[in-house]
Amino acid sequence: MAVAVYPGSFDPVTLGHQDIIERSSKIMDKVIVGVLKNNSKSPLFSAKERVKMLKSVTGHMPNVEILAFDGLLVDFVRQCHADVIVRGLRAITDFEYELQMSQTNRVISPGVDTIFLTTNLKYSYLSSSIVKEIAMYQGDISAFVTPEIALKVLERAEAVKKGARLAE
Ligand code: PNS
């Protein structure tokens, strides 16, 4: 059985992420989406909230599981008995960082390979950071995330602007 881990921050999950999950779930027997818990990027949503949001947008894919993880990705991959890591590549600007990560992961854990899916052209410019930035100004994010996620992001962005603390 071919198992893949698709790791990321998913703060929040975008249509670009959903596209990668959907496509990898058709190639692999099982896809485990790994949500990084202790993110140095000060996430808008807690890991628990991000897991919940991912579960709600992937509920129709029976071979997709959502789990939070802490620590090294390669350790999580081993715990999951996964064969590969899946990452999306949007543009050449992603390449250097992704290459560095995949090479490092293979050095510290020989045998852990990364496969890349090129992002759907429709979403090649899209990132969670851009979505959050637009949301901070209560802009229209409906082209980037599902309506349900958009509501949550706009609500959280408004709360943060009013002084609410960021998620831990
Ligand atoms: O969505 P992101 O923020 O680009 O995902 C980055 C992620 C979670 C894949 C990366 O930061 C990661 O793997 N973090 C876990 C810690 C780790 O293993 N670091 C070494 C990677 S070379």
Side-chain angles (χ1 to χ4, degrees):
M1 184 161 114
V3 180
V5 165
Y6 176 43
S9 306
F10 306 106
D11 185 47
V13 56
T14 66
L15 295 177
H17 295 131
Q18 285 176 231
D19 177 61
I20 297 287
I21 298 170
E22 189 119 31
R23 283 160 56 209
S24 48
S25 77
K26 288 179 185 153
I27 302 168
M28 308 299 293
D29 294 308
K30 185 174 177 180
V31 176
I32 298 167
V33 180
V35 179
L36 183 65
K37 266 192 217 167
N38 285 340
N39 197 326
S40 53
K41 292 181 189 167
S42 308
L44 198 55
F45 294 96
S46 69
K48 214 168 163 188
E49 290 170 320
R50 285 177 275 143
V51 165
K52 199 170 165 202
M53 289 191 283
L54 271 153
K55 280 186 177 167
S56 76
V57 298
T58 58
H60 61 292
M61 291 178 249
N63 63 338
V64 173
E65 190 179 350
I66 318 294
L67 296 174
F69 79 100
D70 226 345
L72 285 178
L73 173 60
V74 289
D75 291 337
F76 178 64
V77 169
R78 211 175 294 123
Q79 279 163 29
C80 294
H81 304 289
D83 303 290
V84 286
I85 296 167
V86 171
R87 290 284 287 173
L89 270 184
R90 287 168 299 192
I92 194 75
T93 42
D94 279 343
F95 184 75
E96 251 181 82
Y97 171 62
E98 294 298 334
L99 182 70
Q100 184 186 29
M101 274 210 301
S102 65
Q103 300 288 33
T104 308
N105 284 334
R106 206 142 51 99
V107 169
I108 60 175
S109 184
V112 173
D113 261 310
T114 304
I115 59 169
F116 296 99
L117 292 184
T118 50
T119 301
N120 189 317
L121 263 186
K122 271 196 296 194
Y123 308 124
S124 59
Y125 60 91
L126 183 52
S127 73
S128 296
S129 310
I130 294 264
V131 171
K132 284 185 280 190
E133 179 159 349
I134 298 168
M136 280 299 173
Y137 300 101
Q138 293 296 305
D140 181 6
I141 52 171
S142 60
F144 317 130
V145 294
T146 64
E148 164 201 11
I149 304 291
L151 204 66
K152 287 189 164 48
V153 177
L154 290 167
E155 267 174 21
R156 181 59 54 87
E158 187 65 11
V160 166
K161 263 200 147 172
K162 287 184 177 152
R165 286 183 54 202
L166 282 175
E168 312 226 319

